[in-house]
Amino acid sequence: MGHPGSTLRGWRGWTLLVWVAAVSLFLADGRRVRQPRCPVGCTCTKDNALCENVRSVPHTFPSDVVSLSFVKSGFNEITGGSFVHTPALQLLLFTANSFDLIDEDAFLGLPHLEYLFIENNKIASISPYAFRSLKALIHLSLAYNNLETLPKDVFKGMDALTKVDLRGNNLICDCKLKWLVEWMHHTNATLDQIYCSGPPSQQGKKINDLLPHSFDCITAGTSTVVCKPMVINNHLFVIVAQLFGGSHIYKRDTSANKFIKIQDIDILKIRKPNDIETFVIDGESFFVIADSSKAGSTTVYKWNGNGFYSHQSLHPWYRDTDVEYLEISNKPHLILSSSSQRPVVYQWNRSQKQFDRRTDIPDMEDVFSVKHFRVKGDLFICLTRFIGDSKVMRWDGAMFKDVQTFPSRGSMVFQPVSIGNWQYAILGSDYSLTQVYQWDTKRSQFVPSQELNIQAPRAFSLVSIDDRVFLLASSFKGKTQIYEHLMIDLSN
C-alpha cells in the first residue's frame, strides 16, 4: 500500500512549483523589454546577422547574435564603442568594405569575441589601441588591405592569439616594423608567409625570415629631446640629443641605405640637452648643444674630417634652455637662453677661433628661447617666456632694444616665420589659444592676425610643396596639426 502522506506532499510541492512558475511568468511579462529588431539593411537569423551596403554601423542588434558580418558597406572608419551593445559576439567579419581607418577602442565591449576578420577592405591606418579590449581573441585577420606598417605593440595584451593573417598588404620593412619582427619571434601565434614591399634593400624578402638585429635603426627611444640633420661634403649626419642613455651622432650609409651610429657625445658635458644648433663658420662645420642640467655645460662641437669633437664649453652650471646662431653685423654670434640668468650674447673671435662673451640682454630673466628674423635688413629677435611677457627686440647696432611686448603666460614657443614677403610670429600657449601675428611695415610691429586651437604647442615649422606652404604645429599633449597658408581676397 502506498503512503498517502507522501503523495500529498508531492502534490502540494507540484502545485507550489506551478504557482511559482506562473508568478514568474507574470512578472517577466509585466517587465518584458522589447528585443531590438534586426537593423535596416541587415538580415538576421537565430544567432547570425549579415549587413550589406549599410552606411554606418547599426547601434543595436538582437541580443542572441553571436556572429555578425558586414559586406560592401560604405562607412569610412570603425570608431570607438561601435559594438558596445553586442556583447555576445564571438565572430565579427568585415569584407569588401570601403573604410580605411580603425580607431582607438573600436571593439570595446566585446569580451567574448574570438574571431575577427577584416579582409579586402581599404585599411591604411590602425590606432595603436584598436584591439586592446580583445583579451579573448584567438584569430585576427587583416589580410588584403592597404597597410604599409603597423603601430608598435598593436597586439599587446592579446595573449590568447593563435593566428594572425597579414597577407596581401604592402608592408614596408623599415625600422617602424622592427617591433613586429621581434614580436613574431616571441609570440605563440602563427603567421602565414608575408613579404616586404620595401624599402629596396628588403623588397621581396619574407618578413618571417628577418631577424631583429638586421635592422640598424636610430633607437633614440622616448627620451629624445631633439634631432638635427647636418650635411658635410655631401654626407648626411643626424645629431640625436637624449635625456637618458647619452646623445649620439649617426651618418647615412648610402650603400647600405641606412643610418649608422659613428659617435657618442661626452655624457659628462651633455647631461640634459635641450636644444641643438648647427652652423658653418669660414667653411668649418660646428654644432652646439644647450645643456640644462646643473652639472653639464653648453658645448660647441667641431668637425675635424673624421668626427665631431668638443671645441669649446660655454659657461657651465647655468641651465641653458635654448641656443640660437645668427649673424650680427656680418659676424657669427650665439645667444644662449637660461632659466637662471639673462640671455647671453657670444661673438665669434676669428683669431682665437672661439666664442667670446659680448653682452647680455637686460631685464629679461628666465627666457625659455630666442629666435631671430630680419625685415628689410633690420635684425629682430623673439624672446619666449613661460611666466611674464614675451618680447620682440631690435638690434640697434650696439644692443637689443624693446619693440613690442606680448602677454604670454604658459608660452614655450614664440616662433617667427617668413612666407614670401609676409613676416609672421606665432605665440603658442599651454593655457590659451595660439596667437598668430603679422608684421605691419607701417607700424614696424606685429598686429594680431589669427587664432589657432593647438593643445600645448612646442614648435612650428614651415614646409613648401608644389607652390603651397604648410605650417606644422607640434604638440606636447595632442596631435601634430597641419595648416595651409592661403591668401584670401576680401575686397568684395
Side-chain angles (χ1 to χ4, degrees):
M1 234 180 127
H3 299 278
S6 299
T7 304
L8 184 60
R9 284 196 296 270
W11 172 255
R12 287 175 178 172
W14 182 81
T15 305
L16 179 62
L17 288 173
V18 172
W19 171 247
V20 171
V23 171
S24 299
L25 182 62
F26 175 81
L27 291 175
D29 186 66
R31 300 174 185 174
R32 182 172 296 163
V33 178
R34 180 173 295 178
Q35 288 291 322
R37 294 180 178 178
C38 192
V40 176
C42 302
T43 302
C44 300
T45 60
K46 181 179 180 181
D47 55 4
N48 300 302
L50 170 64
C51 300
E52 190 170 0
N53 294 315
V54 296
R55 306 303 300 175
S56 61
V57 177
H59 290 297
T60 56
F61 287 89
S63 60
D64 53 358
V65 168
V66 296
S67 174
L68 174 59
S69 302
F70 290 89
V71 179
K72 298 179 181 178
S73 297
F75 44 85
N76 296 322
E77 60 181 338
I78 306 177
T79 57
S82 296
F83 300 98
V84 293
H85 300 297
T86 53
L89 274 183
Q90 296 177 25
L91 184 148
L92 182 57
L93 182 145
F94 300 87
T95 184
N97 301 289
S98 61
F99 65 93
D100 58 6
L101 171 65
I102 304 177
D103 204 357
E104 179 177 328
D105 289 325
F107 307 101
L108 188 68
L110 298 177
H112 305 296
L113 191 68
E114 295 184 352
Y115 300 91
L116 177 59
F117 298 87
I118 309 175
E119 301 178 342
N120 289 288
N121 301 289
K122 299 179 180 179
I123 298 167
S125 179
I126 299 176
S127 165
Y129 308 111
F131 309 123
R132 64 179 167 184
S133 62
L134 301 179
K135 307 297 185 184
L137 198 70
I138 296 173
H139 187 121
L140 172 65
S141 177
L142 297 168
Y144 301 99
N145 284 288
N146 295 332
L147 291 169
E148 292 187 353
T149 190
L150 288 167
K152 186 176 181 180
D153 296 333
V154 69
F155 305 137
K156 186 176 182 179
M158 302 171 70
D159 298 330
L161 274 179
T162 61
K163 174 76 171 180
V164 177
D165 191 351
L166 297 172
R167 293 172 300 156
N169 289 287
N170 300 312
L171 294 174
I172 305 299
C173 301
D174 57 10
C175 289
K176 292 180 181 178
L177 217 61
K178 179 182 178 181
W179 75 269
L180 179 64
V181 174
E182 294 173 336
W183 179 81
M184 289 168 62
H185 283 80
H186 293 94
T187 183
N188 291 323
T190 60
L191 288 88
D192 289 315
Q193 291 287 354
I194 47 178
Y195 297 84
C196 301
S197 295
S201 60
Q202 305 281 32
Q203 190 169 4
K205 292 183 179 179
K206 295 179 181 178
I207 298 180
N208 312 62
D209 294 340
L210 297 179
L211 298 173
H213 63 73
S214 64
F215 293 81
D216 192 349
C217 307
I218 300 177
T219 54
T222 57
S223 63
T224 301
V225 177
V226 62
C227 297
K228 277 291 179 73
M230 191 172 190
V231 178
I232 303 174
N233 298 328
N234 294 322
H235 294 291
L236 175 61
F237 299 85
V238 174
I239 305 140
V240 181
Q242 299 183 140
L243 291 179
F244 309 106
S247 299
H248 313 283
I249 302 171
Y250 295 81
K251 181 181 178 181
R252 180 69 174 173
D253 186 331
T254 54
S255 61
N257 196 30
K258 59 185 178 182
F259 283 94
I260 297 175
K261 185 170 71 172
I262 64 167
Q263 190 177 341
D264 297 324
I265 296 174
D266 188 356
I267 197 170
L268 296 178
K269 293 181 181 292
I270 306 301
R271 292 176 176 267
K272 192 178 180 182
N274 210 70
D275 187 36
I276 300 174
E277 190 82 342
T278 62
F279 52 92
V280 176
I281 299 177
D282 297 333
E284 296 185 299
S285 299
F286 300 84
F287 71 83
V288 56
I289 300 182
D291 188 87
S292 59
S293 69
K294 293 181 179 180
S297 62
T298 293
T299 304
V300 178
Y301 291 85
K302 178 184 175 184
W303 173 255
N304 73 349
N306 296 310
F308 292 92
Y309 295 93
S310 176
H311 179 73
Q312 182 184 2
S313 291
L314 304 174
H315 67 55
W317 312 100
Y318 282 124
R319 299 185 182 181
D320 294 330
T321 54
D322 181 80
V323 56
E324 179 79 348
Y325 174 82
L326 69 167
E327 291 194 357
I328 302 175
S329 302
N330 296 318
K331 296 178 181 179
H333 285 72
L334 294 176
I335 302 180
L336 302 186
S337 307
S338 171
S339 59
S340 61
Q341 66 168 6
R342 294 177 293 200
V344 180
V345 181
Y346 283 82
Q347 180 177 319
W348 180 254
N349 185 322
R350 278 196 159 88
S351 61
Q352 299 293 326
K353 290 192 174 184
Q354 64 178 18
F355 287 97
D356 295 333
R357 179 170 177 149
R358 176 172 181 176
T359 185
D360 59 19
I361 299 177
D363 303 320
M364 284 300 291
E365 285 75 16
D366 200 19
V367 170
F368 183 76
S369 68
V370 176
K371 304 298 177 188
H372 78 284
F373 65 97
R374 297 180 186 273
V375 176
K376 294 183 177 180
D378 289 332
L379 174 64
F380 298 85
I381 54 174
C382 292
L383 300 95
T384 310
R385 298 174 82 184
F386 189 81
I387 300 175
D389 294 334
S390 294
K391 287 188 177 182
V392 171
M393 306 183 81
R394 176 180 173 274
W395 179 256
D396 71 352
M399 64 179 63
F400 286 102
K401 290 190 175 180
D402 288 1
V403 171
Q404 201 170 356
T405 299
F406 302 83
S408 62
R409 181 176 177 270
S411 178
M412 295 186 72
V413 55
F414 189 21
Q415 178 70 51
V417 294
S418 299
I419 304 174
N421 296 322
W422 295 280
Q423 178 66 50
Y424 299 92
I426 308 174
L427 181 63
S429 173
D430 284 11
Y431 306 126
S432 62
L433 295 175
T434 291
Q435 303 294 324
V436 180
Y437 299 94
Q438 184 176 352
W439 184 259
D440 187 322
T441 53
K442 293 181 179 179
R443 301 183 188 179
S444 293
Q445 64 178 19
F446 285 107
V447 295
S449 173
Q450 190 177 358
E451 291 183 335
L452 305 176
N453 187 9
I454 305 168
Q455 189 176 13
R458 288 296 179 268
F460 303 101
S461 180
L462 290 180
V463 176
S464 298
I465 303 175
D466 296 333
D467 297 324
R468 299 167 68 186
V469 180
F470 300 92
L471 177 73
L472 277 65
S474 66
S475 168
F476 180 67
K477 296 180 180 179
K479 297 180 179 179
T480 294
Q481 297 189 49
I482 303 176
Y483 299 86
E484 182 176 4
H485 183 260
L486 299 174
M487 299 304 299
I488 302 174
D489 185 1
L490 299 177
S491 59
N492 296 323

